[in-house]
Amino acid sequence: MSSDASIGTPKVSKSDAEWRAQLSPEEYAVLRQAGTERPFTGEYDEVFTEGVYSCRACGAELFRSETKFASHCGWPSFYAPSSDDNVILREDRSMGMTRVEVLCASCHSHLGHVFTGEGYGTPTDQRYCMNSVSLRHEPAA
């Protein structure tokens, strides 16, 4: 798990003003300020169309539909990123608990959190609980 000092410089780096100009207020609040969209409101919560999920901020590939599953938690859930190199995992001690935050490895935008050992029966026993607003789905051709 990475610490702030060890995650390095993002490949895609923009000023705060550039991010604000590119992203909607909701996208900015989640991606750049580690916010969370309300459960059961995101556009990809119940979408299972084949394709690739990329970072809404920089376009880097993050997940593939093959690893998406119905967790019924209110946010899109995946059991693994398309490559471990696509995400950064970082300890998050906000909200009075210890969780594992998931960041885009390319631009260091906040995507959501990953949870382990919840009993979903996925191959990795993990649930990457992502904000829809952090993702963009590109259906397979």
Side-chain angles (χ1 to χ4, degrees):
M1 198 160 350
S2 302
S3 68
D4 285 335
S6 68
I7 64 173
T9 304
K11 295 174 201 150
V12 176
S13 185
K14 297 182 180 188
S15 70
D16 187 62
E18 289 172 314
W19 285 122
R20 285 182 186 274
Q22 174 188 329
L23 302 169
S24 73
E26 182 184 18
E27 291 167 346
Y28 182 85
V30 172
L31 287 157
R32 305 309 304 169
Q33 297 179 312
T36 302
E37 67 191 358
R38 290 187 343 266
F40 304 103
T41 63
E43 65 182 307
Y44 301 129
D45 180 28
E46 295 295 325
V47 170
F48 295 94
T49 307
E50 187 178 335
V52 173
Y53 291 85
S54 58
C55 176
R56 195 173 297 234
C58 73
E61 181 177 318
L62 300 168
F63 299 94
R64 294 192 170 256
S65 58
E66 294 83 19
T67 64
K68 191 168 189 296
F69 69 100
S71 66
H72 309 290
C73 69
W75 292 278
S77 297
F78 304 85
Y79 62 79
S82 57
S83 169
D84 288 340
D85 294 340
N86 292 353
V87 298
I88 295 169
L89 304 181
R90 175 171 72 180
E91 186 175 276
D92 175 3
R93 292 183 173 267
S94 66
M95 303 188 76
M97 64 183 95
T98 301
R99 299 180 292 172
V100 179
E101 180 182 19
V102 181
L103 304 172
C104 171
S106 184
C107 70
H108 296 187
S109 287
H110 172 79
L111 305 170
H113 292 86
V114 61
F115 303 95
T116 302
E118 296 179 313
Y120 280 104
T122 60
T124 62
D125 198 25
Q126 293 184 312
R127 176 173 58 96
Y128 282 79
C129 183
M130 303 293 97
N131 290 284
S132 285
V133 74
S134 296
L135 306 172
R136 179 159 284 123
H137 179 254
E138 183 68 35

